[in-house]
Amino acid sequence: MPEKAPSFSIKNWSQDDQPREKLRDKGRSALSDAELVAIIIGSGSRNESALDLCKRILASVDNNLNQLGKLSIKQLMDFKGIGEAKAISIAAAMELGRRRRGEDALECKNITSSASVFELMQPIIGELPHEEFWIIYLNNANKVIQKQQLSKGGITGTLVDVRLVLKNALEFGAVGLILAHNHPSGTLKPSEADKHITQKLKKAGESLDIKVLDHLIVTEKAYFSFADDNLL
């Protein structure tokens, strides 16, 4: 009679080693990244436990959660044992983590430097595969009142609605603006379009005593500041 194949189900592990029970009994910080992702997907396959599957996925991105968050649904489904539902669950968890970082940055801090703008905007646009342009509205204490996306998909082909930006600034009671956009290529050199938009918004705001205080180009790990480089 053939031997029964061993079960790779987490249910058959020692209770101390089961991720859910480990989180309950020892706290979130006691779990590895792979164990946390294993909780998200819930189960592995017939030949591989959820934990081993997650270790394999993380190894493919050098155990970097930022890189894991960039994988598309299709790329996640390329791993044997990851169907659409599990791929969507991972993507949703990564997006929640990204949004939490953004909210932590917004909680508030006044904007005191270009570095504080980078902390605010990097979680929002720093890892995107496409370009987005945002406006940050500030009060007279340099505290963020509101931040809004102005355009998506690139600057050169997008008409900038300066009137809308200034209308919003007046409605919010803003006295300062900070512009921010990302360069998915990773380059920190401002383009002519970047410079043109900066000057266009700066001149438009001057008549209403609304100042453009800075313009940041944001990438995954670094930024370029127009103000720091005396380009304003």
Side-chain angles (χ1 to χ4, degrees):
M1 185 175 179
E3 291 185 11
K4 186 178 179 181
S7 173
F8 289 91
S9 172
I10 290 177
K11 294 178 182 177
N12 294 316
W13 297 6
S14 161
Q15 185 165 325
D16 288 342
D17 293 329
Q18 293 177 16
R20 288 192 184 90
E21 287 71 17
K22 188 174 179 181
L23 188 151
R24 180 193 65 202
D25 299 334
K26 299 181 179 179
R28 291 169 287 185
S29 61
L31 277 70
S32 66
D33 291 346
E35 287 172 322
L36 290 170
V37 180
I39 290 175
I40 292 166
I41 67 171
S43 63
S45 64
R46 178 177 296 180
N47 298 316
E48 188 176 37
S49 72
L51 182 58
D52 287 336
L53 173 55
C54 293
K55 285 180 178 178
R56 183 159 58 87
I57 294 171
L58 284 167
S60 74
V61 292
D62 296 323
N63 294 298
N64 185 312
L65 290 177
N66 284 330
Q67 294 301 317
L68 177 62
K70 293 180 181 180
L71 296 182
S72 66
I73 301 296
K74 183 178 182 302
Q75 288 173 316
L76 288 166
M77 289 174 64
D78 286 340
F79 291 94
K80 187 176 180 180
I82 297 293
E84 184 178 70
K86 290 179 181 178
I88 289 172
S89 294
I90 294 172
M94 294 295 104
E95 176 62 15
L96 279 173
R98 185 189 69 79
R99 292 185 186 186
R100 181 183 176 186
R101 286 171 58 202
E103 289 182 1
D104 285 345
L106 183 57
E107 257 176 20
C108 252
K109 299 182 177 179
N110 291 351
I111 297 297
T112 57
S113 65
S114 57
S116 59
V117 180
F118 177 70
E119 288 175 10
L120 174 65
M121 296 305 300
Q122 194 281 336
I124 299 171
I125 61 176
E127 299 170 16
L128 295 177
H130 59 271
E131 197 166 303
E132 291 188 2
F133 194 96
W134 286 66
I135 305 290
I136 303 168
Y137 297 91
L138 305 175
N139 65 15
N140 56 9
N142 282 344
K143 187 170 183 178
V144 176
I145 302 171
Q146 185 65 268
K147 59 187 191 309
Q148 291 186 336
Q149 183 191 97
L150 183 62
S151 69
K152 179 179 179 179
I155 294 176
T156 52
T158 304
L159 179 63
V160 176
D161 193 339
V162 174
R163 291 175 299 175
L164 178 61
V165 173
L166 296 180
K167 175 177 176 289
N168 288 339
L170 292 171
E171 288 179 354
F172 299 147
V175 299
L177 305 176
I178 294 178
L179 321 178
H181 77 284
N182 62 313
H183 278 180
S185 65
T187 178
L188 291 174
K189 183 178 179 181
S191 67
E192 289 305 312
D194 297 338
K195 296 175 183 177
H196 174 71
I197 285 180
T198 305
Q199 292 304 316
K200 185 175 182 179
L201 285 167
K202 180 183 176 182
K203 289 177 181 178
E206 285 174 351
S207 62
L208 297 173
D209 291 326
I210 297 172
K211 295 182 179 180
V212 172
L213 302 174
D214 203 350
H215 182 173
L216 257 68
I217 296 172
V218 177
T219 64
E220 184 177 352
K221 297 180 179 178
Y223 68 91
F224 175 88
S225 162
F226 276 58
D228 292 351
D229 241 59
N230 297 313
L231 291 180
L232 283 175

